[in-house]
Amino acid sequence: MKPRIAAAPAAAGQVRLIGGAWRGSKLPVPALPGLRPTSDRVRETLFNWLHGELAGARVLDLFAGTGALGFEAASRGAACVDLVESAPLAIDALRSAAARLGRDGSGGKVQVHAQSAMAFLAAQAGPWDLAFVDPPFAGGLWAEALAALVPRLAPRARVYVESPVDAVPAVPAGWVLLRETATREVRAALYKVEQG
């Protein structure tokens, strides 16, 4: 009897970019445990909050997953976007999407970093004007990630934090809550970093 060859995991679906130059472009959602793309509704709200903040911004999508937040920022005028992801299936999907979307001449606007968020922050100095922090909910990585991010942010940077609706992560001193919203499962919050 021949050994069975494992099939590649099926994609769990797609997410669509909702604004900017790449509006309507689709990103694959790999079938990975704990991968939870930010919903269209929450992304639309977030990017309405960020109106006027993205042109020329240096952006970090720290737990990129599908890359929906980072690609949305690039689509809307960010100068450069760093997507950080450690899951091989997600990394492949991110690289493929970056190559496909970059054919419009935006070239190296989006960089994919295949490593853990904490290893990336330990090796990179930044500074970033905007950071998206949306780790896998089961990992409980908010405190560690936010603390490591502090010295790598530009003065008056914005930080978006997504968490379970019933578990609000503590944020570093000097961060001011600008906006927040919630769905049944998710709390979405945008902070301004006042120190620096």
Side-chain angles (χ1 to χ4, degrees), residues 103-122:
R103 289 187 193 131
D104 70 355
S106 60
K109 179 186 273 199
V110 176
Q111 296 292 320
V112 178
H113 304 272
Q115 62 190 130
S116 76
M118 301 315 299
F120 176 82
L121 288 175

Side-chain angles (χ1 to χ4, degrees), residues 11-111:
Q14 296 179 328
V15 293
R16 177 184 54 88
L17 297 181
I18 55 177
W22 297 334
R23 180 181 181 176
S25 298
K26 294 178 181 174
L27 303 172
V29 179
L32 291 169
L35 183 62
R36 191 191 25 73
T38 301
S39 72
D40 284 2
R41 185 180 130 215
V42 171
R43 273 188 295 126
E44 185 169 6
T45 298
L46 168 61
F47 284 94
N48 284 339
W49 294 344
L50 292 170
H51 182 73
E53 301 285 339
L54 289 168
R58 296 158 295 177
V59 177
L60 173 62
D61 191 347
L62 194 53
F63 299 88
T66 64
L69 295 175
F71 283 116
E72 194 76 53
S75 178
R76 294 169 183 252
C80 59
V81 177
D82 290 301
L83 302 175
V84 182
E85 180 54 53
S86 60
L89 279 177
I91 292 163
D92 291 344
L94 291 170
R95 286 180 172 154
S96 175
R100 177 173 43 87
L101 294 172
R103 289 187 193 131
D104 70 355
S106 60
K109 179 186 273 199
V110 176
Q111 296 292 320

Side-chain angles (χ1 to χ4, degrees), residues 33-36 63-64 85-86 133-142 162 164:
L35 183 62
R36 191 191 25 73
F63 299 88
E85 180 54 53
S86 60
V133 182
D134 179 15
F137 284 3
L141 297 171
W142 290 274
E162 192 168 309

